Amino acid sequence: MRICVIGAGYVGLATGVMFGKLGHEVVCVDIDGRRLRDISAGRLPFYEPPLEKELRKLVKNGMLSASGDIKKSVARSKFVFLCVQTPSLSSGKIDIRALKTACRDVARAMAGADGYRVIVVKSTVVPSTTDTVLKPILEDGSGKSIGREIGLCVNPEFLQEGSALKDSMEPSRIVVGAHDKRSSDALARLYSPIKSSTFRTDLRTAEMIKYAANSFLAAKISYANEMANLCLRLGIDSEQVLAAVGEDPRIGKLFLKPGLGFGGSCLPKDVRALKQKARELDYPAHLLTAIQRINDEQPDEAISILKSVFKDLKGLRIAVLGLSFKGGVDDVRDTRAVPLITSLLAKNVEVVAYDPIAMSRFIELMPTIRYASTVEDALTQADACVIQADWPEFREIGRAQFSKMRNPVVIDGRRLLDPGEVEASGAKYFGVGYGRARRE
Ligand code: UDX
Ligand code: UDX
């Protein structure tokens, strides 16, 4: 089967590689020429080593190619997956301009092409977008009718960056939202080699499943952060509390790790977008508001811990370790490092920032702060360090590195390190949700 993927980002390339591995011939279309050249050379435009390895193989054996020619690519394909980004506008609403443009291009390409093909929306869009906005664009531009000459589906992804390939090949579930039975049957058949529970729904339900899932993940994190903040103030270690709480199968262990809040390309944006949609519907969405508020304030938990140690932060040199939105990725979208560093700078702190992989991307967001080339360099003469992202290599920091600090104080913003080990290597340990018993 020939498959066209429009938007060669995280989701598009994970989708393309997955279908390539299933034996289909995939063409990835993008408007970014540099990206196309990278893909043609078997290189990913982001850091995801296992996916890159498979991409390279598929490009080499001709199962996956990159193209800027949307017309030809759509005309030759039986399935067209729309995977362009849908970022937030300042209002919190999603920006679907790129998606609308892509739909117009796909529609034009279909106008002159014979045969039935299925358009699959993988980009995250708020419920009702596909049937009320995208469907008319596809029909008007192609002169064809959905349900008869064109199939239309919504097929959200649930992959996590850092495990994009595994999450695509072994998804927790497959959601096939469809306009009609023929579209639904076609997409379900395409996914049939992947063994996973499949939910066949209408378009809006599929759109909502994605938001409901990400809102719940975000809720778990904000809950964990609120409990952790309370634990710290009560002199209790939240790690023990949340570990025991998570053992209840009704609650579950995952996504209960306190930190400096959730970032990334999905959770913050999806909570904002659903809240905005609720507002349009005159529904107050109190829970979404609380999730977001806790998340917005969570980076300040590091500031409050610092204040409890130093009283006045002015003039201190603080190393911020980890700039990506989580360890293991080079994505800086909605990273908590931005609000954290912004708050530190507002307190007249001298910030020295370091990340093993994401530094060049982060420099584009904050070009004027100081960057270090190694962890040691970042820690040298620092009064404290804040771990912002859970990069595994930060676990290796020990006496040799801490001894370079003017003041070996560690604020563990991701509960990555073992407090006992840090203290044994000569530094003072403070962590989010890490209350030390003040009970006499
Ligand atoms: C995806 C989803 O599609 C988004 O809706 C979801 O909420 C998050 O995950 P992602 O894969 O992370 O987005 O996007 P990104 O990595 O930014 O890639 C999007 C690609 O689409 C880029 O390569 C961009 O150049 C391309 N693009 C954008 C087009 O090819 N055409 C356009 O008109 C716009
Ligand atoms: C997320 C969803 O997990 C995925 O299903 C969806 O398709 C896309 O969005 P991703 O953006 O890769 O995936 O990141 P994720 O691993 O979920 O982490 C999001 C943020 O939450 C990170 O900043 C992470 O540090 C934070 N987090 C996660 C916590 O603070 N605590 C946790 O327990 C888990």
Side-chain angles (χ1 to χ4, degrees):
M1 192 84 76
R2 285 216 174 104
I3 292 176
C4 171
V5 172
I6 300 189
Y10 256 101
V11 171
L13 286 169
T15 304
V17 169
M18 171 190 70
F19 284 123
K21 272 176 75 71
L22 293 178
H24 300 292
E25 197 182 314
V26 178
V27 57
C28 293
V29 177
D30 205 289
I31 47 169
D32 181 341
R34 197 167 138 199
R35 214 158 248 233
L36 295 176
R37 282 192 295 281
D38 275 347
I39 297 164
S40 302
R43 280 193 306 269
L44 273 187
F46 45 82
Y47 182 73
E48 190 83 29
L51 189 66
E52 185 160 59
K53 194 171 150 214
E54 292 304 319
L55 173 84
R56 206 175 306 127
K57 280 195 222 158
L58 292 168
V59 170
K60 215 168 159 193
N61 66 23
M63 293 302 282
L64 189 147
S65 59
S67 169
D69 188 341
I70 196 165
K71 197 167 169 204
K72 198 165 127 205
S73 305
V74 168
R76 286 161 50 102
S77 301
K78 287 285 167 220
F79 287 87
V80 179
F81 285 82
L82 292 165
C83 302
V84 301
Q85 71 276 35
T86 47
S88 289
L89 292 166
S90 55
S91 64
K93 264 174 97 159
I94 51 163
D95 182 353
I96 57 166
R97 282 174 296 183
L99 188 57
K100 283 162 83 175
T101 307
C103 277
R104 268 185 222 110
D105 291 344
V106 169
R108 257 196 301 274
M110 289 192 298
D114 293 335
Y116 177 81
R117 57 181 58 71
V118 182
I119 311 303
V120 186
V121 180
K122 247 193 190 304
S123 298
T124 305
V125 288
V126 290
S128 77
T129 306
T130 303
D131 59 339
T132 63
V133 182
L134 307 182
K135 179 173 173 257
I137 295 177
L138 289 166
E139 290 190 317
D140 293 350
S142 66
K144 296 182 174 177
S145 90
I146 296 216
R148 275 196 301 121
E149 296 144 292
I150 309 172
L152 181 61
C153 291
V154 167
N155 171 221
E157 47 71 31
F158 303 99
L159 61 88
Q160 277 179 279
E161 293 184 17
S163 54
L165 180 65
K166 185 170 184 295
D167 294 350
S168 304
M169 299 303 298
E170 299 160 37
S172 47
R173 70 286 207 197
I174 296 166
V175 175
V176 173
H179 171 271
D180 53 89
K181 186 163 182 315
R182 187 177 174 193
S183 314
S184 178
D185 287 346
L187 188 60
R189 209 173 312 117
L190 186 68
Y191 272 107
S192 61
I194 294 188
K195 296 292 161 238
S196 186
S197 36
T198 301
F199 292 83
R200 287 171 72 153
T201 71
D202 62 15
L203 297 171
R204 287 188 188 195
T205 307
E207 290 167 331
M208 187 63 184
I209 288 170
K210 170 76 184 211
Y211 282 97
N214 276 353
S215 300
F216 186 73
L217 294 174
K220 276 191 102 172
I221 300 169
S222 280
Y223 157 81
N225 284 334
E226 185 144 298
M227 292 303 117
N229 298 348
L230 275 168
C231 283
L232 184 143
R233 286 155 182 79
L234 284 162
I236 298 167
D237 180 0
S238 63
E239 209 162 75
Q240 287 186 27
V241 172
L242 291 167
V245 167
E247 277 304 322
D248 185 330
R250 292 170 302 175
I251 296 173
K253 288 188 236 215
L254 302 177
F255 275 68
L256 280 186
K257 190 141 176 109
L260 297 179
F262 54 82
S265 69
C266 287
L267 299 192
K269 162 177 82 84
D270 292 352
V271 172
R272 280 195 290 267
L274 192 57
K275 194 181 126 190
Q276 193 57 34
K277 187 70 191 174
R279 187 173 292 160
E280 279 170 29
L281 298 167
D282 256 338
Y283 176 74
H286 299 303
L287 180 59
L288 296 177
T289 304
I291 293 168
Q292 195 180 25
R293 178 128 190 229
I294 293 168
N295 201 52
D296 287 346
E297 292 180 6
Q298 196 60 17
D300 282 338
E301 197 55 18
I303 309 283
S304 121
I305 298 173
L306 278 167
K307 277 192 183 153
S308 72
V309 183
F310 292 101
K311 312 288 180 273
D312 189 8
L313 305 188
K314 194 172 169 199
L316 295 182
R317 177 186 289 189
I318 293 181
V320 174
L321 302 182
L323 304 172
S324 50
F325 83 88
K326 64 176 177 182
V329 303
D330 64 349
D331 197 338
V332 295
R333 285 179 282 183
D334 256 313
T335 169
R336 303 289 84 200
V338 171
L340 170 68
I341 294 174
T342 305
S343 289
L344 289 170
L345 295 176
K347 307 252 167 324
N348 290 312
V349 163
E350 184 197 347
V351 172
V352 184
Y354 172 75
D355 189 282
I357 302 275
M359 211 129 70
S360 58
R361 284 180 194 246
F362 194 81
I363 289 171
E364 287 172 27
L365 301 180
M366 298 195 107
T368 55
I369 58 166
R370 220 184 107 188
Y371 290 91
S373 52
T374 60
V375 170
E376 272 190 28
D377 183 17
L379 293 182
T380 300
Q381 290 299 307
D383 292 290
C385 69
V386 181
I387 297 180
Q388 190 292 130
D390 50 352
W391 278 96
E393 41 263 72
F394 295 157
R395 286 209 184 91
E396 311 305 319
I397 305 175
R399 187 176 292 276
Q401 288 84 11
F402 290 137
S403 65
K404 307 264 177 200
M405 296 175 78
R406 186 154 45 204
N407 221 334
V409 168
V410 178
I411 315 294
D412 188 352
R414 294 289 170 187
R415 298 304 301 271
L416 183 71
L417 307 179
D418 179 78
E421 282 175 22
V422 171
E423 303 239 326
S425 30
K428 286 207 184 87
Y429 180 92
F430 299 87
V432 169
Y434 183 65
R436 288 164 214 251
R438 276 181 297 227
R439 291 154 282 181
E440 259 74 42

